[in-house]
Amino acid sequence: EHNALHFLYFFVYLKETKEKQETRQLSSVELDLYNKIKNRQFLKFFPVGRAGILEGEEQEEELIVKTLQDKVVQLEKRLSEITEQQEVMQKLNSDSVRYYARISSELNRLHNSMFNSNNFEAKRR
């Protein structure tokens, strides 16, 4: 947020200071700017169209957007990994249920077989 009048006042200050030959009061930056103004190179210094702070904010905003995009990509990858792990766990769970049912059935069969054979031997005696 630059006020053009502030630049004009600054240019007048530089010119008057130089004309009064009070160059010792000018800093090296001010003296460099005075020389640029004198050589009509002040447009390199003067912000035309945009303030530097806005450009900095724009660059900062671009960095934030890039960072957020990267994080979204990372989250998508992680979500995909979790989904794959969930599918594997569901298959393992399903396999475990079938295995448990098969073992339970086999144990019942063995138990019934032993019980029937014990009853059979008891009846024989």
Side-chain angles (χ1 to χ4, degrees):
E1 300 188 21
H2 295 91
N3 184 337
L5 287 178
H6 291 160
F7 285 97
L8 180 61
Y9 296 145
F10 182 66
F11 292 166
V12 170
Y13 160 77
L14 291 175
K15 184 178 180 195
E16 286 180 358
T17 304
K18 184 69 174 163
E19 285 176 357
K20 292 179 185 175
Q21 298 195 2
E22 298 173 1
T23 54
R24 291 186 186 145
Q25 289 182 343
L26 295 178
S27 70
S28 60
V29 173
E30 290 171 334
L31 192 56
D32 183 53
L33 291 175
Y34 172 81
N35 289 329
K36 285 183 180 179
I37 294 167
K38 184 178 172 186
N39 296 325
R40 302 207 180 271
Q41 296 175 341
F42 60 89
L43 287 180
K44 293 179 182 178
F45 162 73
F46 198 88
V48 177
R50 289 194 55 92
I53 190 150
L54 294 178
E55 291 175 5
E57 287 176 0
E58 186 176 286
Q59 290 173 351
E60 184 177 328
E61 185 177 305
E62 288 174 7
L63 180 62
I64 290 170
V65 168
K66 172 83 171 99
T67 302
L68 289 174
Q69 287 172 338
D70 291 345
K71 288 185 179 192
V72 167
V73 168
Q74 290 173 355
L75 286 171
E76 287 174 339
K77 286 179 182 178
R78 186 65 184 128
L79 183 59
S80 177
E81 291 170 359
I82 289 171
T83 302
E84 289 174 14
Q85 290 173 354
Q86 182 182 18
E87 290 171 358
V88 168
M89 291 181 74
Q90 285 175 340
K91 180 166 181 0
L92 288 173
N93 187 39
S94 177
D95 290 348
S96 295
V97 167
R98 283 194 299 270
Y99 181 71
Y100 175 78
R102 197 172 81 220
I103 288 176
S104 179
S105 174
E106 187 65 24
L107 285 173
N108 283 335
R109 188 187 64 75
L110 287 172
H111 180 271
N112 289 338
S113 166
M114 288 175 60
F115 180 74
N116 287 338
S117 117
N118 285 341
N119 277 342
F120 181 72
E121 287 181 22
K123 288 182 182 178
R124 269 182 156 184
R125 293 186 198 172

